[in-house]
Each structure stands twice: as C-alpha cells, then as structure tokens.
Amino acid sequence: MIGFSGFSKENADTKRAELRECFADAMKIAKENSVDLVLIAGDVFDTPYCTANTKKFVFDAIEK
C-alpha cells in the first residue's frame, strides 16, 4: 500500500502488513455498520505506481 524506502525490508513488510490490516478492519467495520459511503481522504499509496498485489488487496477489501 505504501512505499517504505527508508525502512529495512523486514520493517517495511511489517509496516505494510499493519496498514493493510487497518484498512481491511475499516472496511469490515463499515460493512457491519451498513455504511453507505467510505471516503478515502488521503493516499492509498505514496509512489507513482501501484503493484498488482496492492490493487488486488484494496479492491478485495472494498468488495468484501
């Protein structure tokens, strides 16, 4: 979801997993509370590109 160029690979992987878990939790809470609209008022990623894996994760989390 996010670029972590200043982190070691291990720390970047940990941080990425934490952010993905938070995003998935937010989508789950929205569903449980019958939320009609979710506004993402910031960057989902901070690099000029987005990996296929990140796109799949985001779309799957929203779809659920």
Side-chain angles (χ1 to χ4, degrees), residues 4-63:
F4 297 106
S5 59
F7 291 86
S8 69
K9 178 173 179 359
E10 181 180 286
N11 287 343
D13 290 346
T14 299
K15 192 65 158 168
R16 185 175 296 106
E18 290 170 352
L19 285 172
R20 286 183 176 199
E21 184 178 347
C22 288
F23 186 81
D25 287 348
M27 296 300 101
K28 182 179 175 187
I29 290 167
K31 181 178 181 179
E32 291 171 351
N33 290 282
S34 301
V35 171
D36 294 322
L37 176 72
V38 173
L39 176 64
I40 301 171
D43 297 339
V44 176
F45 51 92
D46 69 346
T47 58
Y49 62 89
C50 179
T51 66
N53 186 331
T54 296
K55 287 179 195 175
K56 181 173 179 2
F57 170 80
V58 170
F59 288 124
D60 287 350
I62 291 170
E63 184 177 22

